[in-house]
Coordinates of all heavy atoms in Angstrom, one line a residue:
E28 N -11.5 -21.1 9.9 CA -13.0 -21.2 9.3 C -13.3 -19.7 8.7 O -14.4 -19.6 7.9 CB -14.0 -21.7 10.2 CG -13.8 -23.1 10.7 CD -12.9 -23.2 12.0 OE1 -12.1 -22.2 12.2 OE2 -12.9 -24.2 12.6
F30 N -11.8 -17.6 7.0 CA -11.1 -17.2 5.8 C -11.8 -17.8 4.5 O -12.2 -19.0 4.6 CB -9.6 -17.6 5.6 CG -8.7 -17.0 6.6 CD1 -8.5 -17.4 7.9 CD2 -8.3 -15.6 6.3 CE1 -7.6 -16.8 8.8 CE2 -7.5 -14.9 7.3 CZ -7.1 -15.5 8.5
T31 N -11.9 -17.1 3.4 CA -12.4 -17.6 2.1 C -11.4 -17.2 1.0 O -10.9 -16.0 1.1 CB -13.8 -17.0 1.8 OG1 -14.6 -17.3 2.8 CG2 -14.3 -17.4 0.5
I44 N 7.2 5.7 9.7 CA 8.5 5.3 10.1 C 9.4 6.5 10.5 O 9.5 7.4 9.7 CB 9.2 4.5 9.0 CG1 8.4 3.3 8.6 CG2 10.6 4.1 9.5 CD1 8.9 2.5 7.4
E46 N 13.0 8.4 11.9 CA 14.4 8.3 11.8 C 14.9 7.4 12.9 O 15.8 6.6 12.7 CB 15.1 9.7 11.9 CG 16.6 9.6 11.6 CD 17.3 10.9 11.5 OE1 16.6 11.9 11.4 OE2 18.4 10.9 11.3
D48 N 13.4 4.9 14.5 CA 13.0 3.5 14.1 C 14.0 2.9 13.2 O 14.5 1.9 13.4 CB 11.6 3.5 13.4 CG 10.5 3.8 14.2 OD1 10.4 3.6 15.4 OD2 9.5 4.3 13.6
N58 N 23.6 -3.8 10.6 CA 23.6 -3.5 9.2 C 24.6 -2.2 9.1 O 24.3 -1.3 9.6 CB 22.2 -3.1 8.6 CG 22.3 -2.8 7.2 OD1 23.2 -2.4 6.6 ND2 21.0 -3.3 6.5
Y74 N 19.1 8.4 -4.5 CA 17.9 9.0 -3.9 C 18.1 10.2 -3.1 O 17.2 11.0 -2.9 CB 17.2 8.0 -3.0 CG 16.6 6.8 -3.9 CD1 17.0 5.5 -3.8 CD2 15.6 7.1 -4.7 CE1 16.5 4.5 -4.7 CE2 15.1 6.1 -5.6 CZ 15.5 4.8 -5.5 OH 15.0 3.8 -6.3
R76 N 18.8 10.8 -0.1 CA 18.4 10.9 1.3 C 18.4 9.4 1.9 O 18.6 8.5 1.2 CB 17.1 11.5 1.4 CG 16.0 10.9 0.6 CD 14.7 11.6 0.8 NE 13.7 11.2 -0.2 CZ 12.3 11.1 0.0 NH1 11.9 11.7 1.1 NH2 11.5 10.8 -0.9
L77 N 18.3 9.4 3.2 CA 18.2 8.1 4.0 C 17.2 7.2 3.4 O 16.0 7.7 3.2 CB 18.0 8.2 5.5 CG 19.1 9.0 6.3 CD1 18.6 9.3 7.7 CD2 20.3 8.2 6.2
L83 N 13.4 -3.6 8.2 CA 12.4 -2.9 9.0 C 11.1 -2.7 8.2 O 10.0 -3.0 8.8 CB 13.0 -1.6 9.5 CG 11.9 -0.6 10.2 CD1 11.5 -1.3 11.5 CD2 12.6 0.7 10.4
G90 N 3.8 -7.0 10.3 CA 3.1 -6.7 11.6 C 1.8 -6.0 11.3 O 0.8 -6.3 12.0
A100 N -2.6 -17.4 14.7 CA -1.7 -18.4 14.1 C -0.9 -19.1 15.2 O -0.7 -18.5 16.2 CB -0.8 -17.8 13.1
Y122 N 1.1 1.1 4.8 CA -0.2 0.5 4.9 C -0.1 -0.9 4.3 O 0.9 -1.2 3.5 CB -1.3 1.2 4.2 CG -1.6 2.4 4.8 CD1 -0.9 3.6 4.4 CD2 -2.5 2.7 5.9 CE1 -1.1 4.9 5.0 CE2 -2.8 3.9 6.4 CZ -2.1 4.9 5.9 OH -2.3 6.2 6.5
V142 N -3.3 -21.3 5.7 CA -3.8 -20.1 5.0 C -2.6 -19.6 4.2 O -1.5 -19.3 4.7 CB -4.3 -19.0 5.8 CG1 -4.8 -17.8 5.1 CG2 -5.5 -19.6 6.7
E155 N 3.0 0.8 -4.4 CA 3.3 -0.5 -3.9 C 4.8 -0.5 -3.6 O 5.7 -0.4 -4.6 CB 2.9 -1.6 -4.8 CG 3.1 -3.0 -4.3 CD 2.7 -4.0 -5.0 OE1 1.5 -4.0 -5.6 OE2 3.4 -5.0 -5.3
M157 N 6.3 -3.1 -1.7 CA 6.8 -4.4 -1.5 C 5.6 -5.4 -1.6 O 4.5 -4.9 -1.4 CB 7.4 -4.6 -0.1 CG 6.5 -4.6 1.1 SD 7.3 -4.5 2.7 CE 8.3 -3.0 2.6
M164 N 0.1 -21.2 9.4 CA -0.7 -22.1 10.0 C -1.7 -21.5 11.1 O -1.1 -20.8 12.1 CB 0.0 -23.4 10.7 CG -0.9 -24.4 11.3 SD 0.0 -25.9 11.9 CE 0.5 -26.5 10.3
D169 N -12.3 -24.1 17.3 CA -12.6 -25.0 18.4 C -11.2 -25.5 19.1 O -11.2 -26.4 20.0 CB -13.4 -26.1 18.1 CG -12.9 -27.1 17.1 OD1 -11.8 -26.8 16.5 OD2 -13.6 -28.0 16.8
P171 N -8.2 -25.7 21.4 CA -8.1 -25.4 22.9 C -6.8 -24.6 23.2 O -6.8 -23.9 24.3 CB -8.0 -26.8 23.6 CG -7.4 -27.6 22.6 CD -7.8 -27.3 21.3
D175 N -8.8 -19.5 27.3 CA -8.8 -19.5 28.8 C -7.3 -19.2 29.3 O -6.8 -19.8 30.3 CB -9.3 -20.9 29.4 CG -10.7 -21.2 29.0 OD1 -11.4 -20.3 29.0 OD2 -11.0 -22.3 28.8
F177 N -6.3 -16.0 30.2 CA -6.3 -14.9 31.0 C -6.3 -15.4 32.6 O -7.1 -16.3 32.9 CB -7.5 -14.0 31.0 CG -7.4 -12.7 31.6 CD1 -6.8 -11.5 30.9 CD2 -7.8 -12.4 32.9 CE1 -6.7 -10.3 31.5 CE2 -7.7 -11.2 33.4 CZ -7.1 -10.1 32.8
K181 N -6.1 -13.7 42.1 CA -6.2 -14.3 43.5 C -7.1 -13.5 44.5 O -7.5 -14.1 45.5 CB -4.7 -14.4 44.1 CG -3.9 -15.3 43.3 CD -2.4 -15.3 43.9 CE -1.6 -16.2 43.0 NZ -0.2 -16.3 43.4

Side-chain angles (χ1 to χ4, degrees):
E28 299 90 341
F30 292 99
T31 301
I44 302 174
E46 186 172 355
D48 295 330
N58 184 328
Y74 289 111
R76 57 186 168 149
L77 294 174
L83 174 60
Y122 295 88
V142 178
E155 183 175 309
M157 68 188 66
M164 185 176 286
D169 62 355
D175 301 319
F177 197 89
K181 293 178 181 174

